[in-house]
Amino acid sequence: MPEDGRVRRWCGSGVGLLLVLVLVAVGVGVLSDRDGGESTGCTPRTIGAWSADDRLTAEFARYGDDPARADDWTGGDGTHSVRLPDGRLLWLFSDTYLGAVHGPPNPFGEPYSWRDTTAPLVRNSAVLMRGGRLETTLPAPLFPDPAPDQWRWPVAARVEPRSPGSAEQVVRVLLWVRTTGPYPWLYGVPTATEVATLSLPDLRVESVTRVLDEQRVEDPSRRVLFGTTLVGDGEWTYVFGGDDGQAASRNASSAYVARVPAGGLAEPGAWEYWDGSAWTTGARPRPVLGDGQRTGVGSAFSVVRQDGTYVLFTMAAGTKGLAAVTSYWACSPTGPWHGPEGDFTPSLPAGQVAAYNPQTHPAVSGGGRLVLSYDVNWLETAGASAQLNRNVSLYRPRFVTLRLVPRR
């Protein structure tokens, strides 16, 4: 996040929320479901209890502060994860600082580890974990820019058959393409959704396929990018996304959902979009929640399916959304969505900071426990990059463990 014009951004990645306008959280959807994959055994669910996951948070701090290498991950946002068949865990990040980290005190005499102001910033990165310990950063950026003044942010990923019915597995990574633009597009104009195919086990990027090109949608605030979260349910992968309504002075963005058969994420023709009443390949997707005013989502949210119920996590509405996470539930990915339920406020470091991008991590969850990360960034636009270098612990994911319980 330098201030020299190399990167037109100010607060983490576009996977983060546009704090300079309004932090908006998810609201209640009103669409009924007739063919949306309604779950059996669905019951209302809410957050029953939560606690800080100090072990995972500390592991990213340890790895980021390790001075052994000068070309590895030292901080980033847009935190997503996927378990690989050999047991390794692949962590994906959007805007990422590389370079060396120096121990405290920093040049201002404060007790923080710090980075030099010339530290490289790349648009995306990937870090491998084995046995709960981060081991290596893949060459970064992993996904090159598609064109001048454009970049790719990785979002959700999953391991799936190379093609439907194939015994060979690959990693599919959803990518958001954004393009440099004028105000209010401080974190880029939404441009397209792509899917990258990575080989196993070497994680070589084999191809990148554009599955939804939104450049013909004249109003950028109506463009939809998919992949903020994926949910597998039987033969389908449900892919959630959102528009950028907030940037157009609307109070909230809207959420959308598509579905793809297992093995078909990299096939544009296999994608079906919910058009408000049915799944279709030929019509524009319609919102599954959000009215653009009182209800809606931020640009980053996460969905899991537990015991037949879909649960969505996002930052809370209004100014609470600077720190508080809330949840919604539905019996189908198309809604209707109910809530909010079970707000909680995880810990934040001192300073003018905010939390954003709550993401669940099923690969490190289990036994009734659900691990959720949230990203942290400096709230003020001016001087944000300097603050993140002055205290490198700010721009890193933090983790909590929570339990979902039936709502009484």
Side-chain angles (χ1 to χ4, degrees):
M1 192 165 51
E3 297 173 317
D4 59 6
R6 286 180 297 159
V7 182
R8 294 179 57 94
R9 67 183 304 267
W10 68 278
C11 179
S13 75
V15 181
L17 302 179
L18 187 55
L19 298 176
V20 73
L21 297 177
V22 178
L23 263 166
V24 182
V26 73
V28 182
V30 296
L31 296 178
S32 62
D33 171 58
R34 301 190 179 189
D35 187 25
E38 185 168 349
S39 299
T40 58
C42 173
T43 58
R45 303 191 74 78
T46 188
I47 299 169
W50 69 273
S51 61
D53 192 324
D54 295 330
R55 182 190 62 81
L56 263 177
T57 300
E59 177 58 17
F60 278 89
R62 178 202 68 79
Y63 185 76
D65 288 346
D66 187 350
R69 294 176 56 185
D71 62 346
D72 62 352
W73 183 97
T74 61
D77 70 351
T79 310
H80 290 81
S81 66
V82 59
R83 179 73 68 183
L84 304 180
D86 60 9
R88 294 176 298 168
L89 193 62
L90 179 66
W91 293 89
L92 295 161
F93 295 92
S94 295
D95 287 354
T96 300
Y97 282 103
L98 306 177
V101 168
H102 310 285
N106 67 14
F108 300 90
E110 299 166 329
Y112 305 134
S113 295
W114 58 284
R115 269 185 304 260
D116 190 90
T117 56
T118 61
L121 182 82
V122 294
R123 285 300 192 176
N124 57 76
S125 68
V127 184
L128 282 169
M129 174 181 277
R130 190 190 305 268
R133 186 175 177 84
L134 295 165
E135 291 186 337
T136 186
T137 301
L138 298 182
L142 183 61
F143 308 104
D145 294 345
D149 297 321
Q150 292 187 347
W151 60 90
R152 290 175 168 127
W153 277 326
V155 278
R158 74 171 306 175
V159 175
E160 70 168 12
R162 179 176 288 280
S163 59
S166 172
E168 183 184 4
Q169 292 184 309
V170 294
V171 181
R172 310 283 195 200
V173 180
L174 275 291
L175 304 172
W176 287 351
V177 177
R178 290 186 177 266
T179 303
T180 300
Y183 182 86
W185 307 104
L186 300 180
Y187 59 113
V189 178
T191 302
T193 300
E194 296 179 333
V195 177
T197 297
L198 279 61
S199 60
L200 286 168
D202 59 346
L203 299 174
R204 177 176 58 87
V205 179
E206 294 184 343
S207 63
V208 176
T209 302
R210 186 157 293 193
V211 296
L212 184 63
D213 193 330
E214 292 287 81
Q215 294 179 87
R216 294 184 179 180
V217 178
E218 184 174 355
D219 181 356
S221 70
R222 302 290 181 179
R223 297 177 181 181
V224 183
L225 299 185
F226 283 92
T228 182
T229 187
L230 302 176
V231 181
D233 187 355
E235 64 179 305
W236 297 103
T237 298
Y238 292 99
V239 188
F240 290 84
D243 61 28
D244 270 18
Q246 295 153 303
S249 300
R250 284 185 283 160
N251 291 332
S253 298
S254 297
Y256 303 77
V257 66
R259 70 177 187 179
V260 187
L265 279 172
E267 297 294 334
W271 284 59
E272 298 179 354
Y273 303 94
W274 184 253
D275 70 359
S277 60
W279 298 102
T280 179
T281 59
R284 287 290 298 169
R286 301 282 299 202
V288 296
L289 63 93
D291 61 11
Q293 297 298 321
R294 185 180 61 86
T295 65
V297 296
S299 60
F301 58 94
S302 188
V303 180
V304 296
R305 182 173 182 266
Q306 187 177 95
D307 298 330
T309 304
Y310 292 85
V311 182
L312 184 152
F313 298 91
T314 189
M315 303 308 295
T319 57
K320 287 176 60 179
L322 295 172
V325 179
T326 194
S327 66
Y328 294 77
W329 67 272
C331 293
S332 162
T334 62
W337 291 91
H338 309 277
E341 303 280 354
D343 291 5
F344 72 97
T345 303
S347 62
L348 286 173
Q352 300 180 56
V353 299
Y356 60 105
N357 187 34
Q359 290 293 325
T360 56
H361 301 277
V364 292
S365 305
R369 301 166 49 256
L370 182 62
V371 174
L372 180 144
S373 68
Y374 58 100
D375 297 327
V376 174
N377 212 313
W378 196 256
L379 185 58
E380 297 295 329
T381 306
S385 179
Q387 293 292 341
L388 300 186
N389 286 321
R390 181 172 175 167
N391 179 2
V392 298
S393 69
L394 295 176
Y395 192 55
R396 290 172 178 168
R398 287 158 171 79
F399 297 84
V400 298
T401 297
L402 54 88
R403 292 183 180 274
L404 295 174
V405 298
R407 181 174 60 82
R408 296 179 179 178

